[in-house]
Amino acid sequence: MIDYVKIVCRSGRGGRGMAHLHRAKYIPNGGPDGGDGGKGGDIILRGNRNYWTLLHLKYQRHIFAGNGQNGGINKSTGADGESKIVDVPCGTVAYNAETGEFLCDVMEDGQLVTLLKGGRGGLGNVHFATPTRQAPRFAQPGEPMQEMTVTLELKLLADVGLVGFPNAGKSTLLSSVSAAKPKIANYPFTTLEPNLGIVSYRDGKSFVMADIPGIIEGASQGKGLGLRFLRHIERNSLLLFMVPADADDIKKEYEVLLNELATFNPEMLDKQRVLAITKCDLIDEELKEMLSENLPEDIPYVFISAPTGEGIQELKDILWAELNSEENRLAAVKREELVHRNYDRRMLAADFADWEADFDDCEELEEDDDFNYDEFDFDEE
Ligand SMILES: Nc1nc2c(ncn2[C@@H]2O[C@H](COP(=O)(O)OP(=O)(O)OP(=O)(O)O)[C@@H](O)[C@H]2O)c(=O)[nH]1
Ligand SMILES: [Mg+2]
């Protein structure tokens, strides 16, 4: 699944205004008639629900909008440059690849976000004629283009995110409550990319569950598969922690997971949490009671087993109740303004390394050296 791409984007340059004096037979001193330059094209992101990944952008490394045409004689205005609309799946976040700064977030189908604005066209010399300067022999240049290397990241939109060590039974749970068919096997790191499933609840109600690769202690330092998959549960309202019943210390495992999440983004701790103790077919009632005495206090828990179906309905009830609780609704409103933290480039150094190599041969921004932008005031309209 392609959930991360890096692209060079460039908006269009504004066309130059024309400096021209009207000339025609029997019209002496025709006056200025240079037209305005056209506007450069924008780079626009558009949310499109028909896309699920960023695969279509993987091999498209450059997106350049068209430049505005220069103004012409006879007051003709130059054509505007063509804007480029880039379709992205809903839930895409854009960052400036060089500084790691957050740029924008595309959440809805049809939502348009202008990533880079094209330069405005320059004014032709008709605009500069005054009673005392009737034949201005100058015009305004167009505004320059903007160029930026942008990383687009997909952050999946799901209601419940599964968090657990490898082999905890996350994929097994997803496959037993939804129609998703994730790979399941008895070794760590079976799941290498996120899976989504729709869990149907009573009376035709449903919610979306996201299964992501397992997290281990030290994941925030890049151990195992690291933490980059956590971005897929960043938007989830509810986190379901999964610890197998045969773990040495359930409480400790839970705390390790929590700690790793906090390192990734402290806001993750604001989410509702539920604990599921998986594989409880492996233990008997007596042991279950013993275990329940030593569980984290502040969150609801449930014992489940995928093969016997034990606790699964109870788990769904708890999840549904939590998803619809008053508190969670308030949190959802807050989440609309989810803070996407700027990138910490150190954490993604490895991700960037192979990209950097590809970009060395990228063509440089061509400069217009025949006019000087500094001389002109591009006053805000
Ligand atoms: N006995 C029993 N075994 C289970 C249960 N749930 C999962 N397993 C087994 O545990 C192993 C790991 O399950 P997965 O669902 O692949 O675990 P995961 O958490 O997705 O693991 P990763 O994808 O590697 O992070 C498999 O062999 C499952 O058959 C359960 O409730 N009871
Ligand atoms: Mg798995």
Side-chain angles (χ1 to χ4, degrees), residues 24-320:
K25 212 171 179 183
Y26 308 125
I27 307 182
N29 303 334
D33 73 344
D36 303 344
K39 188 185 162 305
D42 302 331
I43 302 281
I44 300 171
L45 296 182
R46 174 170 63 191
N48 186 333
R49 60 159 177 246
N50 298 323
Y51 285 98
W52 290 96
T53 67
L54 295 168
L55 178 67
H56 59 294
L57 296 174
K58 172 140 199 234
Y59 299 105
Q60 193 173 357
R61 296 290 178 77
H62 304 95
I63 298 181
F64 295 164
N67 292 328
Q69 301 279 315
N70 294 339
I73 60 172
N74 262 332
K75 296 181 193 164
S76 48
T77 303
D80 290 347
E82 191 196 348
S83 293
K84 279 276 157 70
I85 296 188
V86 185
D87 279 307
V88 292
C90 304
T92 302
V93 185
Y95 295 91
N96 179 333
E98 264 130 50
T99 62
E101 181 200 0
F102 164 71
L103 301 174
C104 66
D105 182 7
V106 185
M107 292 284 280
E108 274 148 46
D109 184 44
Q111 184 185 350
L112 296 171
V113 182
T114 308
L115 200 60
L116 295 180
K117 262 182 112 56
R120 284 181 290 170
L123 298 175
N125 66 344
V126 280
H127 296 275
F128 301 110
T130 61
T132 51
R133 188 178 59 200
Q134 297 188 352
R137 283 162 205 276
F138 60 86
Q140 210 178 20
E143 265 183 330
M145 59 182 80
Q146 295 179 24
E147 191 180 60
M148 193 190 282
T149 310
V150 176
T151 31
L152 297 178
E153 260 192 22
L154 182 60
K155 300 192 182 185
L156 294 179
L157 303 165
D159 300 308
V160 180
L162 304 183
V163 183
F165 281 89
N167 236 7
K170 298 181 294 297
S171 306
T172 313
L173 174 71
L174 184 75
S175 70
S176 67
V177 295
S178 75
K181 301 247 177 316
K183 191 171 163 196
I184 296 168
N186 195 11
Y187 57 83
F189 301 117
T190 323
T191 305
L192 295 174
E193 52 187 45
N195 299 299
L196 285 188
I198 297 177
V199 183
S200 47
Y201 189 62
R202 299 169 212 264
D203 313 325
K205 296 184 210 129
S206 60
F207 55 90
V208 181
M209 193 181 257
D211 165 34
I212 60 163
I215 299 165
I216 54 172
E217 189 165 9
S220 45
Q221 274 97 51
K223 285 200 184 146
L225 293 179
L227 284 180
R228 60 201 187 91
F229 293 104
L230 283 182
R231 65 167 174 263
H232 291 298
I233 53 171
E234 232 182 342
R235 288 189 209 266
N236 300 176
S237 25
L238 187 64
L239 299 180
L240 177 60
F241 283 73
M242 307 193 67
V243 182
D246 54 358
D248 298 333
D249 186 346
I250 295 181
K251 196 169 173 181
K252 178 141 177 284
E253 287 210 359
Y254 167 74
E255 275 157 13
V256 169
L257 289 171
L258 205 57
N259 193 14
E260 294 298 330
L261 293 198
T263 322
F264 177 73
N265 183 351
E267 276 184 44
M268 298 283 254
L269 299 189
D270 298 342
K271 297 180 194 300
Q272 306 275 97
R273 287 169 291 208
V274 175
L275 176 65
I277 296 113
T278 62
K279 309 192 188 179
C280 73
D281 48 299
L282 300 179
I283 57 172
D284 54 14
E285 286 301 322
E286 211 180 315
L287 194 55
K288 242 188 252 180
E289 270 171 32
M290 262 174 60
L291 286 176
S292 348
E293 281 162 22
N294 192 22
L295 287 178
E297 290 93 28
D298 50 339
I299 67 166
Y301 65 87
V302 54
F303 285 91
I304 60 166
S305 160
T308 66
E310 186 189 337
I312 299 286
Q313 190 58 44
E314 192 191 338
L315 176 68
K316 283 201 216 173
D317 288 338
I318 293 182
L319 292 178
W320 185 260

